[in-house]
Amino acid sequence: MEPLTEQEIRSAFVNCTKGESKRLYVPRDLADRPWPDLDYLGWRDPRAPDRAYLVTELDGRRTALVLRCPTPTTRQPPRGLCTICLTSPAGGVSLMVAPRAGKAGQQGNSVGTYLCTDLACPLYVRGRKDPGPGARMQESLTTEEKVQRLATNVAAFVARVTG
C-alpha cells in the first residue's frame, strides 16, 4: 500500500458524511507506518474505543470505512478466528460492523465481519507481528498466497459495504 496523508484518508470514507469524516480520529504517526507491509490501514479510535477505521486501495481507488466494535475489556478477549486473515490472535477477534454506504446505511443497514481486534491482519499474515502461540493454523500456502487471500477477503467485505 502506498503511504497516505490525513487528507487522503478523510476523503476516502464511503459510509459516513463529509462532516463526520472531518471530525473522526486519524493517527498522527502515518509517516511511521509500515506501508509496504500493509494491504489496509486499520486503527482503533483512542477517544471512542467502540470505533475503528479501515482504509484500503481497490482497483486504484482508496476506500475507507467507519466500523463499530465492542469496547475492549480488561478480561481475556475471546480467541475467535478472524475472517480476513484466518488468525486467532492473543488480542482477540471482534465483530466489526460497518454502516452500508449510501441510502442503505442512512436507513440503518449494516454489514459485519470478524476482524482481529487490533486490525493488524497484514502484519500477522506476513509474520511481522506475533499473534501469540497457537494463533495461526498450519497451512501449505506461501506468504504471497496468504497475502492474496487477505486482499480478496478485504475486497469482499468492502464490496458488501459499498454494494
Side-chain angles (χ1 to χ4, degrees), residues 2-163:
E2 293 296 317
L4 299 173
T5 65
E6 180 178 341
Q7 185 56 39
E8 289 171 328
I9 290 170
R10 289 186 189 284
S11 66
F13 280 94
V14 296
N15 65 341
C16 68
T17 66
K18 287 184 181 185
E20 289 170 329
S21 71
K22 288 180 184 177
R23 292 185 302 271
L24 59 80
Y25 172 80
V26 175
R28 303 289 177 228
D29 65 345
L30 293 174
D32 299 331
R33 297 290 172 134
W35 293 103
D37 293 328
L38 298 180
D39 301 288
Y40 72 82
L41 173 65
W43 71 96
R44 301 286 294 251
D45 188 334
R47 298 176 299 180
D50 64 335
R51 286 191 213 146
Y53 308 98
L54 183 147
V55 183
T56 191
E57 194 167 314
L58 301 171
D59 300 323
R61 184 172 165 232
R62 292 180 194 98
T63 304
L65 304 176
V66 173
L67 305 169
R68 294 278 180 195
C69 48
T71 303
T73 63
T74 55
R75 65 180 172 84
Q76 181 66 26
R79 286 196 64 169
L81 186 67
C82 174
T83 58
I84 299 295
C85 67
L86 301 183
T87 300
S88 182
V93 171
S94 297
L95 176 63
M96 304 267 181
V97 179
R100 297 202 56 194
K103 193 168 189 91
Q106 293 167 357
Q107 295 173 341
N109 295 325
S110 60
V111 294
T113 194
Y114 286 94
L115 280 162
C116 294
T117 301
D118 62 2
L119 297 158
C121 299
L123 302 179
Y124 292 140
V125 168
R126 289 175 172 80
R128 304 279 192 253
K129 187 172 182 178
D130 182 16
R136 297 277 315 161
M137 295 183 296
Q138 195 72 328
E139 295 183 282
S140 60
L141 298 177
T142 65
T143 299
E144 291 78 25
E145 290 170 324
K146 291 176 189 177
V147 167
Q148 182 58 48
R149 179 180 61 199
L150 180 142
T152 300
N153 291 342
V154 168
F157 178 60
V158 170
R160 287 177 46 217
V161 173
T162 59

